[in-house]
Amino acid sequence: MLIVMKSDATESQIQVVVKKIESIGLKAHPSHGTNRTVIGIIGNLEPVDQTPFIDLPGVAECVRVTKPYKLVGRELKQDKTVIRIGKAEIGGDETAIIAGVCAVESYEQTMLTARIVAEAGGRWFRGGAFKPRTSPYAFQGLGEEGLKILSEVRDRFGLGIVTEAVDEAALDLCEKYADVIQIGTRNMQNFSLLKRAGQARKPILLKRGMSATLEEFLLAAEYIMAEGNYQVILCERGVRTFGNHARFTPDLSIIPLAQHLSHLPIIFDPSHSTGRRETVIPMARAGVAAGADGLLVDVHPYPELALCDGPQALFFDSLRKMVDEVRAIDRIVRGYRALSLEQVEGYCLPQGLPTPIY
Ligand code: PEP
Ligand code: MN
């Protein structure tokens, strides 16, 4: 259930409701929107009785949540979540570019790439220090040494650092060095790792499981939020289908649907979804046209020598090209989104029809 507070409810009235929820053994999640505060109740197996809450001062109404994901959904929070680290944003006014190496292989490879990302106007750098590899004999990442190199990228280039935690021990380390902690596709339903991510003090970038439905994806995000970490970014990275012309099949239709159901930002990874360099830029353009809040892209100074995912890594000059192209698309798409409903109605509605329900 959600308890919607009146727009002039005071902080002490909100606290009375929170205490009341906790007194019956449940958890309260207040969400402060621009106009009003909504308090989510979670932890109940049976429907919660609204009687103790409805007459409390400052309470406007009690609303049943219809979706299994309560904190992730738009019912609790209508305003979009924006993740901010310094000047870097995900979910804000422009498409976030998160580019970098698949794996941190060496100091030189990482610094060379970071310089190009910064020069191309990216504000975020990606790089794996812990790699989830299909083969146990493949390069597994430099571990903490890689995280130290990433920290230096932040200091030298002012880029926000995104890096993957493959297990709880790695998450402890990533929390120390990174700005955003990634949970990969193979771990989307690793529930103990999701709970640990929910206790982290850093935003979490959650990749969609390669065969996860939208509901499973949103419920994985709910695991993180239910532990108290509200800073979650969703990432579409392709799903398994019968098609074998690409590594995975990008499922761009999930972007507008996730945005409709959830206030969380959703970004798109064109690199891991197709696994082929020649498809990365066209799919990046398509992702931005579909409304993605950002792109996560692999780049490498010498892709043919890469220890991980070389065939999908962009060359340096193509990263600049990609950024130019997606910025152009971004301006058009955001222009459409900014059109007010009155403008749209005034333009296309014939006279005499009832106002459509939005
Ligand atoms: C990655 O981003 O480096 C990665 C391993 O991605 P995914 O979990 O989507 O395969
Ligand atoms: Mn990779």
Side-chain angles (χ1 to χ4, degrees), residues 102 126 131-132 164 182 184-186 207 237 269 272 296 309:
C102 173
R126 63 146 289 147
K131 295 306 302 175
E164 176 166 356
Q182 176 173 319
T185 192
R186 294 158 187 85
K207 289 192 136 189
R237 50 80 67 213
D269 177 345
H272 290 84
L296 182 73
D309 289 349

Side-chain angles (χ1 to χ4, degrees), residues 30 114 129 152 258:
E152 199 171 322

Side-chain angles (χ1 to χ4, degrees), residues 145-167:
E145 190 194 332
L147 293 176
K148 288 185 181 159
I149 297 174
L150 290 171
S151 269
E152 199 171 322
V153 165
R154 181 198 302 106
D155 297 344
R156 277 180 67 175
F157 299 102
L159 299 169
I161 301 299
V162 180
T163 196
E164 176 166 356
V166 289
D167 54 29

Side-chain angles (χ1 to χ4, degrees), residues 90-268:
I90 303 174
D93 289 335
E94 62 172 38
T95 302
I97 304 291
I98 309 164
V101 292
C102 173
V104 175
E105 298 167 13
S106 69
Y107 184 83
E108 293 72 21
Q109 167 243 19
T110 310
M111 290 301 157
L112 277 173
T113 312
R115 174 177 299 280
I116 295 300
V117 172
E119 282 172 8
R123 293 195 192 272
W124 301 90
F125 188 78
R126 63 146 289 147
F130 298 93
K131 295 306 302 175
R133 302 306 300 277
T134 304
S135 162
Y137 307 117
F139 176 59
Q140 306 280 315
L142 295 181
E144 188 165 7
E145 190 194 332
L147 293 176
K148 288 185 181 159
I149 297 174
L150 290 171
S151 269
E152 199 171 322
V153 165
R154 181 198 302 106
D155 297 344
R156 277 180 67 175
F157 299 102
L159 299 169
I161 301 299
V162 180
T163 196
E164 176 166 356
V166 289
D167 54 29
E168 275 100 321
L171 205 147
D172 291 344
L173 283 171
C174 292
E175 195 173 9
K176 205 163 119 195
Y177 292 99
D179 297 302
V180 172
I181 304 167
Q182 176 173 319
I183 303 287
T185 192
R186 294 158 187 85
N187 270 319
M188 191 208 81
Q189 285 190 317
N190 178 341
F191 299 118
S192 55
L193 187 59
L194 294 178
K195 285 186 184 167
R196 171 65 186 86
Q199 288 147 14
R201 300 276 169 97
K202 297 279 168 77
I204 305 296
L205 192 159
L206 178 67
K207 289 192 136 189
R208 178 184 180 191
M210 60 182 83
S211 63
T213 63
L214 173 56
E215 184 162 305
E216 287 164 344
F217 191 18
L218 296 179
L219 280 168
E222 184 82 11
Y223 260 92
I224 299 168
M225 294 186 73
E227 293 294 320
N229 188 349
Y230 295 170
Q231 304 268 95
V232 181
I233 305 137
L234 305 169
C235 178
E236 161 60 24
R237 50 80 67 213
V239 289
R240 271 273 150 82
T241 62
F242 54 83
N244 59 2
H245 54 280
R247 206 172 161 194
F248 298 92
T249 301
D251 178 13
L252 296 179
S253 67
I254 204 165
I255 294 170
L257 290 171
Q259 287 167 337
H260 175 70
L261 294 172
S262 172
H263 52 85
L264 297 175
I266 178 162
I267 66 166
F268 172 54

